[in-house]
Amino acid sequence: MHSELLRRRTFGIVSHPDAGKTTLTEKLLLFGGAIQIAGAVKAKKASRHATSDFMEIEKQRGISVATSVMGFEYRDTKINLLDTPGHKDFCEDTYRTLTAVDSVIMVIDAAKGVEAQTYKLLEVCQMRRTPVMTFMNKMDRETREPIELLDEVEEKLGMTVCPMSWPIGSGKLFKGVYNLYDNTLILFKAHHNLKNLEDVIAVKDLQDPVLDRVLGELQANQLREDVALVKGVYPAFDLDAYLSGRVTPVFFGSALNNFGVKELLDFFIQKAPSPLPRETTAGMVDPKDPAFSGFIFKIHANIDPRHRDRVAFLRICSGMFDRQKKVHHVRLKRDMKIANPTAFMAQDKEIVDTAYPGDIIGIHDTGNFKIGDTLSSGESFYFKGIPSFSPEIFRVCVNTNPLKLKQLQKGLEQLCEEGVAQLFTTVLDQRRIVGVVGALQFEVIQYRLEHEYGAQCRFDALNFAKACWLESSDFQTLEAFVKDRKSQMATDKEGRYVYLAETRWSLEREIRENPKISFLSTSESHA
Ligand code: G4P
């Protein structure tokens, strides 16, 4: 069990759309020998580009369940790559997936730098002190200056950067990278397959004339200057600082050309953490603990009426999962057998008999699970750190079929439990507000309400940009704040106060002017 634990790496890729996440995923899967699924990843992406209609995306759901978790083996390491949807399908699931990983790889388009979605996802990583490796992608194109890119990561994302390699030129002049740790020069060649990957040249030191020979005098001298500067400015790689999320090692490459990907992957399996202890309401749970435990971080509902099934995704945190043994569902206070647990190996979904911490299994669900549920071997506790994330798009739900009010209420509540959206009630007039992270969710909700619950509704736009949960040790201050801003106050499903900010700017002003109140962008039931 201990060796199974140590050889597992469970991670996600965070990036802004079009930075190269899908391309990098495919190359990683190629290294893992998982050729077939690479096609599936592309197919999913193709459907996303081909149409803006969510039903078309839904048609691909079979694929998207399969690519939600991609397990593969590489050099005796079991790697679980969790998908973080980022295009039109960006939603709270994307954030929540980050609660189930042990580390992330951040992909940045080197021509663009840190973009909005990367920033949002990194906020969640920082909150959890998740270790981050950075891949500066698309070096085969004209890019921004490497130093400028690194500065931007430090400034915008609040991490210290530690370049592991240094690029030589970019675009048409891109010659390759110089590995700052083992003094090798890796020459760039455009490659789409795994054969003859890179030309690696060992260099004695930076004065080695081989540099002038292969790079030309101009670029060789530039490299000498750059490396001297970089070594003076950036700290040497410090494993503990990386593991605590303070420092991010940075690689430069081109996913499309399979350049720099192998270096990244080799470094990743050596340095990225295996499953770590996790905090629960009953103290820390160690992955080495023989007692089985795990939590549900995502529920995927298939809306095709012919296959209206749900899959609950369980992240195993300790002990061994054994299909033959019953598990304890903490919230429902009962033991249950999991009939057909599936593992997500890259080639296919398959029934799993045993699984270990770090692994994700899919459980066929008929409505027993909610996000954040714990399964254990008998103990009663909840995992901390699986919060609701603050929505950014809000609409009022208006019932358009008075005969189906009950169905609408039930449907909305159940869909929110599944994690599709969050439901708030305004303090002033008790209106039901639905908040989501990605706009596509409204179409999904409307469709599902109609087809699964027979209810019809309309969503009217609201002018709010962010919801924040309010907390204060000073009860009177909090009550006074709520009273003064009644038109912007709502309560969540558990009756907690939520402030609906009209703009990010007005939120910042309120934060400044109300130092006794905490404005939280996440809320936890089991804090
Ligand atoms: P995403 O999942 O993060 O959204 O990005 P994706 O991998 O789909 O990449 C977005 C576009 O960038 C794709 O081009 C892809 O081929 C390209 N790309 C990815 N990595 C590199 C790289 O290292 N160098 C260059 N030059 N391009 C790269 P596309 O035209 O949108 O799609 P496709 O027709 O190539 O699939």
Side-chain angles (χ1 to χ4, degrees), residues 15-24 42 45 48-49 87 137-141 253-257:
S15 67
H16 191 82
D18 289 328
K21 186 185 71 157
T22 313
T23 313
L24 181 66
K42 260 219 167 96
K45 172 100 190 221
R48 209 156 43 190
H49 275 306
H87 280 254
N137 191 28
K138 306 197 187 182
M139 290 306 298
D140 59 318
R141 289 203 181 153
S254 165
L256 186 65
N257 293 293

Side-chain angles (χ1 to χ4, degrees), residues 65-85:
V65 168
T67 57
S68 283
V69 181
M70 291 162 276
F72 60 99
E73 298 262 347
Y74 176 71
R75 288 177 47 191
D76 204 31
T77 304
K78 165 82 192 292
I79 299 175
N80 295 310
L81 167 52
L82 275 53
D83 188 28
T84 46

